[in-house]
Amino acid sequence: MIQTLLNYFFRYFLFIRNKNVILNGKLKIKNKPLVHILDGTKLIIGDNVTLNSKNAKYHVNMFAPVKIYLDKVGAKITIGNNSRIHGSCLHAYKSINIGDNCLIAANCQIFDGNGHETSLDDPTKRLKITGISKPILIGNNCWIGTSVIILPGTKIGNNCIVAAGSVVKGEFKDNSLIAGNPAKFIKFVK
């Protein structure tokens, strides 16, 4: 009962009353997510979305709660209908679009921009210069396995599966099984 009340509280104060958030239906929150939504950004959440930060009764250990960061003006994160995100980080400088019916397992890192440039000519600049941003697109019906890292500019088609622990960069067609570090197309799945 207390946990249910807390989840309603989180939903109201973190999402419903925030003018930069559009809720298009039911949002289920399990334990408090970490949320940073800068003015001039947009978070769009579809119907029947779950943000799970509760380690109990989840089959993989979560190292941290769901983290949603929009910290550059114009940044946008869209989470499609019926999608579930478990203890993972979404960090947008520009755009992250997650389709409908997606499952994102625990400990994934999805970020569309590098925190710093390499600045090999003068490494001291790394602390002052942010890296480039490229939108991320995850299609409908995708399953992103635990501890996957999705890098800037990645496009994952519909009905794809990304194996646990993969580091993903590039474009992948619909129905792909993707695995490895760096991640590669393995085969088409049905």
Side-chain angles (χ1 to χ4, degrees), residues 51-118:
L51 302 178
N52 179 25
S53 299
K54 187 174 183 177
N55 227 342
K57 297 183 181 178
Y58 186 70
H59 68 288
V60 176
N61 193 29
M62 285 185 223
F63 303 135
V66 170
K67 184 176 183 179
I68 296 175
Y69 262 46
L70 289 138
D71 64 356
K72 282 198 177 180
V73 173
K76 179 176 158 184
I77 294 176
T78 303
I79 303 170
N81 298 326
N82 306 309
S83 289
R84 294 184 286 170
I85 300 170
H86 302 277
S88 289
C89 176
L90 309 176
H91 189 170
Y93 292 112
K94 191 171 273 189
S95 172
I96 297 172
N97 190 327
I98 298 168
D100 295 338
N101 308 307
C102 289
L103 173 58
I104 298 175
N107 309 317
C108 293
Q109 308 296 317
I110 302 170
F111 51 95
D112 70 355
N114 299 322
H116 307 280
E117 286 289 339
T118 55

Side-chain angles (χ1 to χ4, degrees), residues 29-171:
I29 297 175
K30 296 180 180 179
N31 283 10
K32 183 181 179 190
L34 301 173
V35 178
H36 173 76
I37 302 172
L38 187 70
D39 278 341
T41 64
K42 191 64 68 184
L43 173 62
I44 301 169
I45 301 175
D47 185 31
N48 198 36
V49 168
T50 299
L51 302 178
N52 179 25
S53 299
K54 187 174 183 177
N55 227 342
K57 297 183 181 178
Y58 186 70
H59 68 288
V60 176
N61 193 29
M62 285 185 223
F63 303 135
V66 170
K67 184 176 183 179
I68 296 175
Y69 262 46
L70 289 138
D71 64 356
K72 282 198 177 180
V73 173
K76 179 176 158 184
I77 294 176
T78 303
I79 303 170
N81 298 326
N82 306 309
S83 289
R84 294 184 286 170
I85 300 170
H86 302 277
S88 289
C89 176
L90 309 176
H91 189 170
Y93 292 112
K94 191 171 273 189
S95 172
I96 297 172
N97 190 327
I98 298 168
D100 295 338
N101 308 307
C102 289
L103 173 58
I104 298 175
N107 309 317
C108 293
Q109 308 296 317
I110 302 170
F111 51 95
D112 70 355
N114 299 322
H116 307 280
E117 286 289 339
T118 55
S119 301
L120 295 175
D121 60 322
D122 182 2
T124 61
K125 290 185 201 173
R126 288 183 191 146
L127 300 175
K128 301 173 190 162
I129 302 172
T130 58
I132 59 169
S133 301
K134 294 180 182 175
I136 291 175
L137 176 62
I138 299 171
N140 296 323
N141 310 307
C142 290
W143 178 13
I144 311 298
T146 189
S147 300
V148 166
I149 298 172
I150 298 178
L151 297 172
T154 297
K155 294 179 183 172
I156 298 172
N158 296 320
N159 311 310
C160 290
I161 299 172
V162 181
S166 297
V167 178
V168 186
K169 183 175 183 176
E171 295 188 25

